[in-house]
Amino acid sequence: MEILSIVAIALLIAGFVLLGIEMVVPGFSLPGISGIICLVAGVLLAADSVEEGIIITLIVLALLGIMFAVLLWLLSKGKLKSPIILKEEQKTDQGYISSKDLEYLLGKEGTAATDLRPSGMGDFDGVVLDVLSEGTYIDKGTPLIIHKVQGSKLIVREKK
């Protein structure tokens, strides 16, 4: 074997390995760019003619497709650890507030801190919250009552 053939095969193998790394660790970064350069250089060194280069390129693309399908199957079955899936849950003491936690505000009375058109701010015992009226305009200073919680939205109406 010629030295160019050995270099071409080494470049093709390095290209497949680098693109495999890029498929598992997402982002178009150093392994992906290096892998593409290695594959192109390997095809250029291995091909003696344009027709042979096209055939080698088609073979490389087919092998990349098979490699992608196998990696995707391994990731979906949990046989490989995916770096893009969060395994830990966020703790409530780290700033996350569940929408279920807002249910305790039902019936709370306060005043409109801003005009509600229909959204604005309401002051409830010194705590200013984002609120939403039922579609009506409410003036600043108007007494309010929280009568509905929809997810993280606090729906208010005028207190009568």
Side-chain angles (χ1 to χ4, degrees), residues 16-76:
F16 280 113
V17 169
L18 288 169
L19 284 176
I21 292 170
E22 183 71 22
M23 287 179 193
V24 174
V25 180
F28 197 76
S29 59
L30 187 62
I33 294 170
S34 301
I36 291 170
I37 291 170
C38 287
L39 286 178
V40 169
V43 168
L44 290 175
L45 288 176
D48 292 330
S49 64
V50 174
E51 294 83 17
E52 195 174 312
I54 292 172
I55 292 171
I56 293 172
T57 302
L58 291 175
I59 292 170
V60 165
L61 290 174
L63 289 174
L64 283 173
I66 292 169
M67 190 169 80
F68 180 72
V70 168
L71 284 173
L72 191 62
W73 180 79
L74 289 172
L75 285 169
S76 70

Side-chain angles (χ1 to χ4, degrees), residues 139-150:
D139 289 319
K140 178 180 178 180
T142 304
L144 300 174
I145 186 165
I146 299 175
H147 77 96
K148 194 185 301 182
V149 176
Q150 292 178 337

